[in-house]
């Protein structure tokens, strides 16, 4: 079937390289998944009375309110919580982006797709510039 032994060897090398590349990408994907699962995003309101932490999916997992929040209206505190939650999701997206580009590389199309998927889900474009990490 093969014209010569050299062609067979070259084909075997290409298959080995392809398998090695696939194994390497699978390992990097596992590493990235594990790191993303461990990430959280955190932000504080400008007056530092509200602190929000979100889990890897962007859901609220911790909310800390300083006693000074009692001096503000409920509506004001609610707005701060919402704005700070958006800032925490923005922080999470930053962390996911850093981990993804570190593990997969900044020019990797899969990395860009993963980042864009998280960006769409976390929707940081609605963030309030008054909420800071």
């Amino acid at each position: 079937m093969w014209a010569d032994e050299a062609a067979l060897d070259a084909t075997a090398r290409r298959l080995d390289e392809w398998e090695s590349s696939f194994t390497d990408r699978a390992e990097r994907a596992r590493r990235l998944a594990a790191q993303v699962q461990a990430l959280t995003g955190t932000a504080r309101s400008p007056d530092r009375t509200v602190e929000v932490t979100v889990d890897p999916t962007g859901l609220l997992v911790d909310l800390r309110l300083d006693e000074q929040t009692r001096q503000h209206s409920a509506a004001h505190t609610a707005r701060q919580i919402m704005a700070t939650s958006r800032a925490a999701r923005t922080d999470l997206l930053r962390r996911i982006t850093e981990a993804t580009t570190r593990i997969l590389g900044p020019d990797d199309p899969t990395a860009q797709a993963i980042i864009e998927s998280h960006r769409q889900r976390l929707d940081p474009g609605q963030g309030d510039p008054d909420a800071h990490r």
Side-chain angles (χ1 to χ4, degrees):
M1 178 159 83
W2 295 97
D4 59 37
E5 201 63 35
L8 179 60
D9 288 344
T11 300
R13 278 192 306 279
R14 282 194 297 271
L15 286 172
D16 288 344
E17 290 168 3
W18 180 78
E19 181 181 18
S20 176
S21 171
F22 182 74
T23 302
D24 177 57
R25 288 190 65 77
E27 175 55 35
R28 287 188 290 153
R30 279 191 293 276
R31 210 167 69 233
L32 177 60
Q35 283 191 18
V36 167
Q37 285 295 12
L39 292 177
T40 60
T42 301
R44 287 194 178 124
S45 62
D47 64 3
R48 307 190 67 73
T49 60
V50 175
E51 181 177 293
V52 172
T53 300
V54 296
D55 72 6
T57 65
L59 295 176
L60 183 83
V61 292
D62 193 25
L63 172 63
R64 296 174 190 254
L65 302 175
D66 187 274
E67 288 299 319
Q68 291 179 347
T69 58
R70 294 173 186 252
Q71 298 170 6
H72 300 288
S73 69
H76 172 80
T77 302
R79 283 191 303 274
Q80 281 195 311
I81 291 169
M82 295 303 292
T84 307
S85 294
R86 286 188 294 271
R89 287 191 303 274
T90 298
D91 181 54
L92 174 63
L93 179 60
R94 179 187 59 77
R95 292 169 185 253
I96 289 171
T97 299
E98 288 173 355
T100 303
T101 56
R102 184 178 59 253
I103 292 171
L104 299 181
D107 299 326
D108 186 288
T110 302
Q112 295 306 313
I114 289 169
I115 292 165
E116 185 56 30
S117 172
H118 284 285
R119 181 176 288 117
Q120 289 176 4
R121 185 174 46 78
L122 297 171
D123 199 18
Q126 294 183 25
D128 183 336
D130 293 336
H132 302 288
R133 175 147 206 284

